[in-house]
Amino acid sequence: MDSFIDRVKAKSAVVGVIGQGYVGLPLALVFAEAGFRTIGLDVDGKKIAALQRGESYIRHLGAERVAAAVKSGRFVATLDFDRLKECDAVLICVPTPLGKHREPDNSYIHATAREIAKRLRPGQLVVLESTTYPGTTEDELLPILTAGGLASPKDFFLAFSPEREDPGNTKYSTRTIPKVVGGINPESTEAACLLYRAGLESVVPVSHARVAESCKLLENVFRSVNIALVNELKLTFSRMGIDVWEVIAAASTKPFGYMPFYPGPGLGGHCIPLDPFYLSWKAAEHGLWARFIELAGEINTEMPRYVISRLMEALNQDGRPLRGSRVLVVGLSYKANIDDTRESPSFELIELLKAGGAVVDYCDPHFPEVPRTRKYNLSMKSVPCTAEAFAAFDAVLVATGHDQFKDPLLWSQVNLVVDTRNLIEPLFKDATIPGPKRLVKA
Ligand SMILES: NC(=O)c1ccc[n+]([C@@H]2O[C@H](COP(=O)([O-])OP(=O)(O)OC[C@H]3O[C@@H](n4cnc5c(N)ncnc54)[C@H](O)[C@@H]3O)[C@@H](O)[C@H]2O)c1
């Protein structure tokens, strides 16, 4: 413990970050920028090669930060897991997806743990950052790490600290978002807190890794349930002829006890659509049904189909069937002003429209082409973000509210807009030009 503390205090400790994705890369940069020698490890040769050239493949992160870290000599990226031996701290940021039947897939964590175990040496700290169900760190990671005979806290420290990355957030960053940390024993909590305090602004110790694991799930379940609530209220109010967006704006004037959440075409991003099911799966093992989580999942998952049904009704009023109609999906990212399509509902919207026989295009200035994902291979190219291009469609479906779409001129010649983000109405509030011929908020 002493040597670990001394090395962190002297900033001579080496920090290894396994998984150089949306979470791992900014985390590695933060430690490099705080003065630590940092090693970024990944199994993806293309990512490592880009990082070695000092390039960022995450646009909102800024290439200059990666370039500066590489140039400083404090950040290296590698495919060579033997370099884990050099690390005093090893932070795990690998994916935790859901399987085909929405069951947790911890295989990446297990594979990473086996790589660490082969090289584990006394005095090291291992921290899991990947989102997972309570118990993973102690029940699954610890046995793999101790298989070679080392024990915690005698030989090494083990903790969980959830990542709270919010891509595109300009107010908070990896360094300034408070970091919850829980070890499998008090010594591990202390060691992990010491390291994070050396790189981040604010660290929040909790009594155990299980609390830290649960904390992350509470945060995401909270969002998923509240989004489902406003999505359901959108359906209810819409049937009553009441605009849910106006209701939310009015409720938001209450200075206490209310926090706005907004409806949309479905859930997106790496966390909210996936993480809650890690908890409901684990709850079933304890004979419990996490009904709020399941219900929220059911409502949110239905949203893309609901939006398409509203679009079909609107086309029908124009005397058009969906089959053969030209439909433009506006926005591919899962949220505004970021170049991130993970779990974006736009993919499902495009697929549902195609399945219904529509002639589908999309527009997203962040994506000239649709990136290939594990689930979708759409091979489409973005239409230009111009009034002429938009006017050529029978219907335009707003899925993401990028700033580039906030020019009233883009919309005034459009025949029918189905807006899932309340993008259009505010644009024409004080505009001197006419809005689209017809606007449906869905
Ligand atoms: N992106 C977010 O906003 C966010 C926020 C909070 C928590 N999380 C959680 O953080 C974890 C990582 O998410 P992410 O968004 O960074 O994912 P990501 O897909 O962007 O990055 C994961 C990286 O891990 C690499 N990888 C996969 N298997 C590996 C292995 N065996 N060894 C080394 N590297 C390996 C991949 O090549 C990839 O570069 C997940 O558990 C996620 O739920 C993500």
Side-chain angles (χ1 to χ4, degrees):
M1 180 80 172
D2 283 351
S3 68
F4 179 85
I5 291 174
D6 293 343
R7 287 174 68 74
V8 172
K9 283 186 177 160
K11 298 216 166 156
S12 60
V14 178
V15 180
V17 182
I18 305 183
Q20 288 293 285
Y22 280 84
V23 167
L25 178 55
L27 188 67
L29 293 178
V30 159
F31 279 105
E33 287 158 1
F36 289 93
R37 201 151 72 73
T38 307
I39 303 176
L41 301 107
D42 206 291
V43 290
D44 183 335
K46 273 196 200 144
K47 282 188 183 170
I48 293 299
L51 293 177
Q52 286 170 341
R53 290 192 300 271
E55 294 166 11
S56 169
Y57 38 78
I58 302 174
R59 235 177 294 168
H60 67 256
L61 209 57
E64 52 311 324
R65 269 185 81 193
V66 178
V70 171
K71 207 169 158 209
S72 74
R74 283 197 299 275
F75 174 66
V76 288
T78 182
L79 291 164
D80 179 7
F81 278 64
D82 271 340
R83 297 206 59 182
L84 286 174
K85 291 178 196 159
E86 295 168 42
C87 301
D88 297 281
V90 179
L91 315 179
I92 305 171
C93 305
V94 295
T96 42
L98 287 177
K100 236 186 179 170
H101 303 103
R102 292 194 176 271
E103 73 286 4
D105 175 5
N106 272 350
S107 60
Y108 297 86
I109 295 179
H110 294 173
T112 305
R114 286 192 291 272
E115 292 297 330
I116 300 170
K118 281 186 221 163
R119 291 124 179 146
L120 192 67
R121 59 166 173 78
Q124 278 181 318
L125 162 72
V126 178
V127 186
L128 178 61
E129 293 226 1
S130 305
T131 306
T132 181
Y133 46 77
T136 307
T137 309
E138 189 166 37
D139 303 341
E140 298 181 25
L141 208 52
L142 183 65
I144 299 175
L145 296 179
T146 51
L150 295 183
S152 178
K154 187 167 77 67
D155 303 308
F156 69 96
F157 309 109
L158 177 60
F160 183 85
S161 179
E163 186 46 56
R164 286 167 158 174
E165 199 64 25
D166 184 16
N169 190 326
T170 48
K171 198 167 165 206
Y172 297 104
S173 69
T174 309
R175 197 176 61 78
T176 57
I177 298 170
K179 197 93 172 91
V180 170
V181 177
I184 60 156
N185 42 51
E187 294 85 346
S188 294
T189 307
E190 200 188 318
C193 284
L194 183 81
L195 177 78
Y196 285 113
R197 280 196 188 107
L200 312 183
E201 254 178 32
S202 164
V203 173
V204 185
V206 292
S207 64
H208 198 273
R210 280 172 209 271
V211 177
E213 290 162 335
S214 305
C215 164
K216 172 73 186 176
L217 293 177
L218 168 62
E219 292 165 17
N220 285 348
V221 169
F222 172 79
R223 284 190 63 75
S224 168
V225 167
N226 279 289
I227 292 168
L229 177 66
V230 287
N231 275 332
E232 190 177 72
L233 290 176
K234 170 177 78 171
L235 268 64
T236 311
F237 289 144
S238 151
R239 197 70 68 82
M240 297 174 178
I242 300 164
D243 181 349
V244 69
W245 294 90
E246 194 182 350
V247 176
I248 294 170
S252 302
T253 60
K254 187 178 176 186
F256 48 86
Y258 182 78
M259 183 188 223
F261 283 83
Y262 299 98
L267 292 182
H270 192 299
C271 293
I272 318 291
L274 310 180
D275 303 350
F277 296 106
Y278 269 71
L279 187 57
S280 52
W281 180 87
K282 194 68 179 172
E285 189 185 305
H286 294 265
L288 293 168
W289 272 256
R291 285 168 290 171
F292 268 107
I293 295 175
E294 296 294 344
L295 182 60
E298 197 182 312
I299 293 171
N300 290 330
T301 307
E302 256 321 290
M303 277 306 121
R305 284 181 187 276
Y306 167 77
V307 167
I308 299 300
S309 74
R310 294 292 306 275
L311 179 109
M312 283 164 69
E313 278 168 27
L315 280 170
N316 190 41
Q317 282 168 13
D318 283 349
R320 289 179 194 279
L322 181 60
R323 179 164 300 279
S325 287
R326 291 199 63 195
V327 181
L328 179 70
V329 174
V330 163
L332 209 57
S333 314
Y334 78 85
K335 69 173 179 179
N337 305 323
I338 58 164
D339 60 340
D340 190 343
T341 59
R342 285 173 307 162
E343 310 297 326
S344 170
S346 299
F347 287 80
E348 191 176 347
L349 292 172
I350 291 172
E351 204 169 56
L352 288 170
L353 288 167
K354 282 187 169 175
V359 181
V360 191
D361 274 293
Y362 83 97
C363 174
D364 193 320
H366 293 275
F367 293 98
E369 286 175 24
V370 179
R372 205 177 161 159
T373 70
R374 245 181 313 173
K375 212 159 137 197
Y376 298 99
N377 184 12
L378 295 175
S379 64
M380 294 164 75
K381 284 194 165 80
S382 173
V383 305
C385 190
T386 62
E388 297 70 48
F390 282 25
F393 289 87
D394 299 313
V396 180
L397 171 54
V398 180
T400 320
H402 290 319
D403 284 349
Q404 289 97 327
F405 302 140
K406 290 185 179 164
D407 177 358
L409 286 171
L410 275 178
W411 301 97
S412 58
Q413 295 166 48
V414 176
N415 177 50
L416 165 66
V417 180
V418 176
D419 185 0
T420 68
R421 299 289 188 184
N422 197 30
L423 177 96
I424 302 295
E425 206 170 68
L427 292 184
F428 288 92
K429 212 167 148 233
D430 302 313
T432 48
I433 53 167
K437 281 200 197 100
R438 205 141 63 88
L439 171 64
V440 173
K441 289 178 165 189

